[in-house]
Amino acid sequence: MSGPGRSFALRVVRRQAGDAAIVYRRRLSEDGKERHARLAAIGPLAFSAGASLLRDAVRASEPGGRPVAATIAVGPYHPLDDDWGARVACYALVAAGLRDAGRLQRAAASLRHADGTEAAWWLGLMANGARKRAVRALRILTEAVE
């Protein structure tokens, strides 16, 4: 996952309830080595509701724009560029704990069309202590909740 603009990764995992995903962010450890730090999980319901967002993110982040299969491979890390990584991370945080598939689809569609810089701003808000309020605000803006 090295290279400029590859700060995020997505890994699909198979669970009993269905496929799920984990969003990682690249960080430097104290000894200066790059490590994947778990940022958020996407449960099976949110994974299926946001499948188009996740496929678009992996597809857009592929070197040379190589085509991606209809399903994202289970197991390996899929590097995401910074814009798509921020969108997917925001979706993961917004989707956490929600159970309405229709609203999760709306949130995924909103974030798929969101500006990457704006998504990074929201992700920064959620990471800097105002997580509960920022998640609630982004859920409302993406129509994930009423």
Side-chain angles (χ1 to χ4, degrees):
M1 187 175 95
S2 62
R6 303 286 181 183
S7 298
F8 296 90
L10 180 74
R11 191 172 63 118
V12 178
V13 294
R14 184 130 309 139
R15 294 188 179 159
Q16 189 173 4
D19 287 350
I22 303 170
V23 181
Y24 295 91
R25 188 175 210 171
R26 186 176 62 197
R27 301 210 185 241
L28 289 177
S29 63
E30 290 181 16
D31 59 354
K33 294 182 180 178
E34 290 183 356
R35 300 274 186 227
H36 289 108
R38 185 180 183 272
L39 189 58
I42 300 172
L45 178 63
F47 183 85
S48 63
S52 62
L53 167 69
L54 302 176
R55 274 192 313 271
D56 286 352
V58 170
R59 183 180 297 122
S61 300
E62 280 293 318
R66 288 185 298 188
V68 175
T71 58
I72 304 170
V74 174
Y77 287 95
H78 299 280
L80 302 176
D81 69 25
D82 292 340
D83 287 346
W84 282 101
R87 290 180 186 122
V88 169
C90 283
Y91 175 71
L93 293 170
V94 163
L98 299 182
R99 300 285 176 246
D100 186 326
R103 292 205 173 267
L104 287 168
Q105 285 176 329
R106 277 186 240 154
S110 293
L111 287 165
R112 189 167 83 229
H113 299 293
D115 179 62
T117 304
E118 185 177 339
W121 182 81
W122 278 104
L123 186 58
L125 276 181
M126 290 185 270
N128 288 332
R131 183 180 196 135
K132 191 173 185 176
R133 286 185 175 197
V135 168
R136 178 73 179 153
L138 191 54
R139 282 179 173 172
I140 291 168
L141 289 173
T142 61
E143 300 180 36
V145 295
E146 292 183 77

